[in-house]
Amino acid sequence: MKLEELKIILKRLYFDYIKIHFYRIIICLILSITVAGTSSSIAWLLDPAVKKIFIEKDQTLAWLIPVAIIMTFATKGLSLYFARLNIAIVGQKISGELQKKIAKSILYSDIQTLDARHSGKYISNIMHDSGQVQHLVSTGVLNLMKDSFSVVFLVSLMFYQNWKLAFFAILMIPLAAGLAKNLGKQIGKATTQASYLAGNLTTFLSDIFQGSKVIRIYQKEKDEELNSKNVINSLVDKKIKIESIMIRATPIMETLTGFMIAGFIFYSGKLINSGELGINNFFSFLAAMMLAYQPIRSLATLNMTVYQGSAAAKRIFSVIDKSILIKNDTNSPKLNVKNSEIEFQEVNFNYESTTEKAINNINFKIEGGKITALVGKSGSGKSTIINLIPRFYDPQNGKILYDSQNIKEVKLDSLRKNISLVSQDVVLFDSTIRNNILYANPSATDKELLLACNYAAADEFIEKLPKKYETMVGENGVKLSGGQKQRISIARAILKKSPVILLDEATSALDNESEKIVQHAINNLIKGKTTLIIAHRLSTIHNAEKILVLEQGKIVGEGNHKYLISNNLKYKSLYESQLK
């Protein structure tokens, strides 16, 4: 990371996140000055202690000076405690704020942006990178203040005791600064690589959890174990490298300190023998020099913490600064719902990963309160059409109208409020059945909840469960069967009471018995609603007023079942292939 980029990141961290906690920073500053003052006081007290107690044998000061030393240490300890407490609060709050912004970015980003990046990378940003920024603030800022003042106070004391020795002692400061600058650049690069590898590990863990059944059925446990070793070993090796860089300064600093103390003792001996330095001044100076060692060492490695935290902040900013392509425009008018008719006018769309059009210049109308079905082979554009209506994606060309209103020109929340989606991939949260259904309408009454479950044919299995509606469904409904999950999804859609229903192959993954139950529930859901169905089994859409036949993103047939079976070879071929 270049210096200019580092400055920009640190400036942004200060103005956007640290500045609002300025009063705590001021408290830490005052307490840091107290810590520095008490540290130098401890070293200074050795001067009168040696002179008055050991040389002059003053009995009064033999009591007073130890008491003063105790009080000084106690003051230092309390000041350091409250300084660390305040800066820890600041660091954790800033970390929490960044985590909230990442979560907000995930929640409000358009689907295409989220699809371009594995969820494991976002989890790494929240769990790993925010912690690095927290460490920068809580450790870096406090050490900068506390250790800087400590060095100033202690070096001042050293000059007070003997300026010649002081000049000799501070020779190590520029040497330590040069060493720190070099190591800081290395730590920044290594930290960036470690974060990338941490994201890979999170991604890998996410994949093996989701693919647990696939791994077992294909007997890939050993392969995935080998993959896990490779991923983890790469991260461990990188972390070892970071730690080695962090402690690389230790032998150099210790050696420098050894030379300094050896030279200091030699030179002090000459000064004491010549009468230029008293034994009391020597002990006070020695204490100040030894106390100054730790803050000088801390400051020498501070820029490593800065590079680590700044590299993490850069990765977080790249997520939260990502422009949201599809968002709610508060200046747009609300959707004015009338008949809930939906019309596609010359709509074209292709995904970012390819230049091939998923749908190509299509035109059709979904009449209000009626059922329209989409049929076609896999990859013909059916799911794309479903995803365009609630604006999960926006078409590159053309318009989609809801009651003659361009859906791009109305408030996004007012559009989605009037649309329900029931998909073959049911998403349930790791909570109770009640909470999963009420997700669509948290203010719904118990009567409305029970009625929705009755219409969805969900009440019959819910009532048989030991905890009924308070039953935990597990991660993504793992404790329920496919048909049970689908019925909960339908009950949720019923409770939303939206005039438009989108069904994306809702019964494709079910057995015949479950399909009959769910199909009955779907019939209750779509009654009197504008409905768009992607049909897996064509036998389920005989009652659709309009069926659109798609092939390679184009509409190649339109009409009801009776008309298409007689006049459209594509539809007839699809239908007959399912009868075999």
Side-chain angles (χ1 to χ4, degrees):
M1 185 185 295
K2 293 181 179 179
L3 183 60
E4 284 304 313
E5 187 180 22
L6 180 67
K7 288 179 180 178
I8 291 169
I9 291 170
L10 291 175
K11 190 180 290 186
R12 179 173 175 181
L13 274 174
Y14 172 74
F15 285 106
D16 292 357
Y17 301 96
I18 298 175
K19 193 176 179 180
I20 59 173
H21 303 286
F22 193 68
Y23 74 99
R24 287 194 182 275
I25 301 295
I26 292 298
I27 291 171
C28 288
L29 180 66
I30 294 168
L31 291 169
S32 294
I33 293 171
T34 306
V35 170
T38 50
S39 293
S40 58
S41 297
I42 292 165
W44 178 81
L45 281 168
L46 288 178
D47 183 345
V50 172
K51 184 177 180 180
K52 298 296 182 182
I53 299 173
F54 297 108
I55 298 175
E56 297 180 3
K57 299 184 178 1
D58 190 314
Q59 294 301 309
T60 303
L61 290 177
W63 287 96
L64 292 177
I65 291 175
V67 170
I69 290 173
I70 292 170
M71 295 296 292
T72 305
F73 268 105
T75 303
K76 179 182 177 180
L78 285 170
S79 299
L80 192 55
Y81 167 76
F82 285 111
R84 285 177 174 165
L85 177 63
N86 272 279
I87 205 67
I89 291 170
V90 173
Q92 291 295 343
K93 286 192 172 184
I94 290 172
S95 175
E97 190 63 31
L98 289 170
Q99 289 173 331
K100 290 173 192 173
K101 288 197 173 184
I102 297 168
K104 184 178 179 181
S105 176
I106 294 168
L107 289 168
Y108 288 94
S109 285
D110 45 280
I111 301 298
Q112 193 146 286
T113 299
L114 294 178
D115 287 347
R117 196 167 186 254
H118 197 286
S119 58
K121 303 292 185 182
Y122 290 105
I123 295 170
S124 179
N125 290 140
I126 291 175
M127 303 304 294
H128 176 76
D129 290 337
S130 63
Q132 293 288 338
V133 176
Q134 181 267 329
H135 182 69
L136 165 62
V137 175
S138 59
T139 302
V141 173
L142 179 62
N143 285 359
L144 177 64
M145 294 187 296
K146 173 176 66 69
D147 295 334
S148 295
F149 283 116
S150 293
V151 169
V152 170
F153 279 41
L154 289 165
V155 169
S156 298
L157 176 61
M158 288 157 64
F159 272 98
Y160 170 77
Q161 295 295 0
N162 190 284
W163 65 270
K164 292 180 181 179
L165 279 177
F167 272 121
F168 179 81
I170 62 173
L171 283 174
M172 69 177 293
I173 295 177
L175 294 172
L179 173 67
K181 184 178 180 181
N182 177 262
L183 294 179
K185 292 178 181 178
Q186 295 179 46
I187 203 75
K189 183 179 178 181
T191 302
T192 301
Q193 293 169 346
S195 176
Y196 174 77
L197 293 171
N200 285 350
L201 176 58
T202 312
T203 298
F204 174 77
L205 292 173
S206 176
D207 286 343
I208 62 172
F209 275 121
Q210 293 179 12
S212 58
K213 292 178 182 177
V214 175
I215 292 168
R216 284 157 180 77
I217 200 65
Y218 288 105
Q219 297 174 289
K220 294 292 182 181
E221 291 91 343
K222 288 185 178 179
D223 290 347
E224 294 303 336
E225 183 186 5
L226 180 62
N227 289 337
S228 70
K229 286 179 180 178
N230 291 336
V231 172
I232 293 169
N233 285 342
S234 295
L235 181 58
V236 168
D237 290 344
K238 191 57 63 177
K239 286 190 172 183
I240 289 172
K241 183 176 180 181
I242 291 171
E243 291 298 324
S244 71
I245 294 170
M246 291 291 285
I247 62 174
R248 199 172 291 171
T250 302
I252 301 172
M253 290 292 292
E254 293 291 342
T255 303
L256 285 173
T257 305
F259 275 109
M260 184 190 72
I261 292 175
F264 163 74
I265 292 172
F266 175 77
Y267 190 40
S268 296
K270 293 187 70 175
L271 291 176
I272 291 171
N273 290 333
S274 65
E276 291 184 55
L277 182 69
I279 194 70
N280 54 310
N281 304 115
F282 168 77
F283 277 108
S284 178
F285 189 99
L286 180 62
M289 187 178 71
M290 297 303 290
L291 286 172
Y293 170 70
Q294 189 279 327
I296 289 173
R297 181 181 174 183
S298 175
L299 290 171
T301 56
L302 180 64
N303 72 323
M304 299 186 206
T305 302
V306 172
Y307 272 99
Q308 274 186 306
S310 298
K314 180 184 176 181
R315 291 187 292 273
I316 291 173
F317 292 153
S318 71
V319 173
I320 63 179
D321 291 344
K322 190 83 173 178
S323 58
I324 301 172
L325 303 177
I326 301 172
K327 58 185 176 182
N328 196 40
D329 186 356
T330 54
N331 296 320
S332 297
K334 285 186 177 181
L335 179 69
N336 183 19
V337 179
K338 298 173 186 174
N339 301 318
S340 294
E341 290 184 349
I342 296 171
E343 185 177 359
F344 278 57
Q345 294 182 351
E346 298 180 353
V347 174
N348 293 273
F349 177 80
N350 63 271
Y351 294 95
E352 283 186 350
S353 58
T354 178
T355 55
E356 186 179 344
K357 290 183 178 180
I359 55 173
N360 189 359
N361 200 38
I362 62 171
N363 295 273
F364 68 89
K365 180 181 283 189
I366 304 170
E367 294 183 31
K370 295 185 178 180
I371 300 170
T372 300
L374 302 174
V375 300
K377 293 179 180 179
S378 179
S380 60
K382 305 185 299 296
S383 293
T384 300
I385 290 172
I386 288 276
N387 287 327
L388 289 174
I389 294 172
R391 291 191 68 197
F392 292 155
Y393 305 94
D394 274 341
Q396 281 80 24
N397 303 105
K399 291 190 291 185
I400 302 172
L401 307 179
Y402 188 123
D403 284 339
S404 301
Q405 302 158 83
N406 191 333
I407 62 172
K408 280 188 176 182
E409 297 172 1
V410 298
K411 285 184 178 178
L412 185 61
D413 56 359
S414 69
L415 170 69
R416 291 177 178 170
K417 181 182 179 182
N418 290 285
I419 299 171
S420 287
L421 172 65
V422 178
S423 171
Q424 62 176 327
D425 299 319
V426 179
V427 175
L428 297 180
F429 299 99
D430 190 9
S431 185
T432 63
I433 289 175
R434 177 187 295 276
N435 288 341
N436 271 285
I437 297 171
L438 288 175
Y439 197 78
N441 183 7
S443 61
T445 63
D446 283 348
K447 184 179 179 181
E448 289 173 317
L449 171 68
L450 294 173
L451 189 62
C453 290
N454 178 258
Y455 284 156
D459 56 343
E460 61 179 63
F461 82 83
I462 294 173
E463 291 295 338
K464 293 176 182 177
L465 297 171
K467 293 186 179 180
K468 296 182 172 50
Y469 288 87
E470 303 308 318
T471 301
M472 296 293 291
V473 302
E475 186 178 358
N476 205 26
V478 70
K479 297 178 182 178
L480 303 175
S481 70
Q484 289 172 338
K485 289 196 290 184
Q486 196 61 275
R487 280 181 272 174
I488 289 175
S489 175
I490 293 168
R492 185 164 58 190
I494 291 171
L495 203 60
K496 191 178 180 184
K497 301 176 182 177
S498 56
V500 175
I501 307 294
L502 305 177
L503 299 173
D504 187 356
E505 299 187 310
T507 62
S508 63
L510 304 179
D511 58 70
N512 289 333
E513 186 177 347
S514 296
E515 183 183 5
K516 288 177 183 177
I517 297 170
V518 171
Q519 191 60 53
H520 175 71
I522 287 173
N523 291 337
N524 287 331
L525 168 65
I526 66 177
K527 199 175 292 181
K529 305 288 181 70
T530 301
T531 306
L532 183 61
I533 303 173
I534 293 178
H536 175 72
R537 295 183 177 96
L538 301 189
S539 58
T540 63
I541 58 166
H542 283 181
N543 62 336
E545 283 86 357
K546 183 188 291 184
I547 299 171
L548 302 174
V549 185
L550 284 99
E551 185 177 51
Q552 295 181 342
K554 293 181 179 180
I555 296 173
V556 295
E558 183 176 334
N560 59 24
H561 171 72
K562 187 176 179 180
Y563 172 82
L564 289 171
I565 204 74
S566 301
N567 297 281
N568 189 280
L569 291 176
K570 295 288 184 186
Y571 181 80
K572 185 178 180 180
S573 175
L574 285 169
Y575 187 76
E576 289 179 347
S577 68
Q578 292 189 1
L579 296 177
K580 293 177 182 178

